[in-house]
Amino acid sequence: MNIKDILSNLFGNGGAGISSTTRSFVLNVIGKTKSNDNYTDNIKGNRKLLRQMYHNVNKNYALSAQLVKPVVNNNVNFIGIPTLFGNKKALKVIEDIKIDYRKIHKSIEIDGAIFIWIQWNDKKQKIELVQIPVSSISEVFVNPETKEITGYRLEEHVTYSTPKQDNLQVDITYIVTDSIVVKSFRGSIEKNVKYNNPFGVIPIIRFTNDADPDEIFGYSEFESIQPQLKFYHELTYEAGSAQRRDGHPKMKVNTSNVKQWINNNFGAGTFDDVVNGKTSLAMEDRDLFMNAGDDDVSYLYLNKTSGDYNQLAHKTFTNIVQGSETPEINFGANMGTSLASVKEFRPVWIKKIDSKQYERTQSWLEVYTLVIDIYNFIHFRNIKMDIEMTWPRPNFASVKEQSEIIKSFSGAIDILLNNGSLTEKEVYDTLKKIDIVKLDPDYKRHKELVDEQMAKKSNGDNQTTTNTGANATTKDNTKTGN
C-alpha cells in the first residue's frame, strides 16, 4: 500500500490536491458519544470492609490483611506533618486547635476520602475540626454548569441510652450549604433547627485520595491490591489446610492376609467388627506390630503437601509490593532482594509521597482559611490568612549518606554563590526542600540568625588577630632590648 492508498482510506479522495490551498478535508467521527457526568452515583469505598481489612478482623482476609497496615502507616508517616510559616497571629490561631494530622491522613488513606467540618464549639469556646466519614455523606449538591460542590446532605443514625430510657434511636439529617445549616431530628427527638451561614462558603472541606477530576470520592490506598490480598489469603489458607491434613506421617501396611494381620495386632474378631462397622482401628497408641513373614509396615512422609505455595506466595507478594508502590523493605521483610533494589525504588516512593502531599496541600489551606475566618468573626478580629506550608521530604538516606550529601552540597553551593549563579534565598529554599538540616521556617528570621552568627565569628577572628599581633610586638621588643 502506497501513500495514496493510505490517504484514500483516511479521507476518501485519493489524496488528490493535498498540497493545494483550495482543497480542504472534513474528518467525520463515526459513533457519536456525549459526556455523561452522574454526580448522584459516585463510587464510594466499602468503609466497613476497608476498616476491617486495616484492623485485620475480616475472616476472608485474615492471612493477608497484615500487609495493609504497612501500606497505610508508611504513607501516613512519610507524608508527615506540614510546617507552617507566615503571619504569627494566624499561626497561633491554627496551633491552638492542635490538629491531629496523622489521624486525618490515615482516614484518607483507608476510606479514600474524608470531610472536615470546621465548627465553633460555644460550650468549649474553641474551634474544632469534626471528621465526617464517607458513609455519612448522603448527597452531594453540585452546580451542573460549573461542576462545583454547592452543599451536602449528611445522615447519621444514633442509638443511645439515658438514665431513664434504654436503646433510644434518632435519625439526624444535616443540610449544609454556603448560606444555611439545617438540622432535622426524627425518632426519639422531633425537631428542626436552622442557622444562617455568615461566611458565604461551605464549612466542610473535602480531602480525597487519588480521585479523578470528575469524582467526588477518592479511593482507598489498598483498594487496587484487594484482589491480590484475597488471593494471598486463600493461597495461604489452602496451603495451611493441606499441611494440617497431610503433613503428619501416614502408615502403610503390606500384607497378603489383611484379616490375620488385624486380628493378630488388635485382637481376635476385630476384623469382623471393622467390616460390620462396630469398631475402627486407632494407630496412635501402637508402638509394636506383629508381622508374619510377608508382612511389612512403613510410614509415608508427605513433605510437599502445599504444592507450589512458596513460588505463588512470592509472586503474589511481589504483585502487592508493586501495586501498592511501597518498597518491599517497608513491609518489614526482605524476600531475597538486594539493597540495590531498595535504592532503585526510592525515586518511585518519593514521587508517590510528593504527589500525596501536593494533593492534600490545597485542602489544608482551605481549612486554615476557614479557621481564620471563624476566629475573626467570633472575636471581632481582622487577622490575615498569610500562611505558607511545606512538607517533610521522604528520606531513606542513612546518617552517613546524609553527611556525604551535605559535604558535596556545601561545596557546590559555595561555587554557585561566588559566581553569582544562586542567591542566598534560593540556597535557603533548596536546603528547606531537601530537608536534611533544620532551618528556621521564616527566611528573614533565618537570615538574622546567620548574620548574627557571622558577626560573632568575625569579631572573634579580629580579636584573635589583635592578640596575636600584640604578642608578636612584645617578642620583637624583647629581642630589640636584648
Side-chain angles (χ1 to χ4, degrees), residues 63-86:
L63 301 177
S64 64
Q66 75 277 2
L67 300 174
V68 169
K69 269 195 176 183
V71 173
V72 172
N73 292 352
N74 274 282
N75 287 349
V76 172
N77 292 336
F78 278 95
I79 290 171
I81 298 174
T83 299
L84 308 181
F85 53 96

Side-chain angles (χ1 to χ4, degrees), residues 101 104-105 108 114 116 118 129 204-209 356-370 389 391:
Y101 289 96
I104 294 173
H105 289 165
I108 300 170
I114 195 170
I116 303 295
I118 299 93
L129 304 186
I204 297 176
I205 306 301
R206 178 176 62 117
F207 289 80
T208 60
N209 184 64
K356 287 181 174 293
Q357 292 171 338
Y358 179 82
E359 189 176 39
R360 284 147 180 67
T361 296
Q362 183 58 39
S363 295
W364 277 120
L365 290 175
E366 292 175 7
V367 169
Y368 303 148
T369 300
L370 195 51
M389 61 189 299
W391 294 92

Side-chain angles (χ1 to χ4, degrees), residues 113-117 130-137 154 204:
I114 195 170
F115 298 77
I116 303 295
W117 189 346
V130 179
Q131 294 189 37
I132 304 172
V134 173
S135 55
S136 295
I137 305 294
L154 318 177
I204 297 176

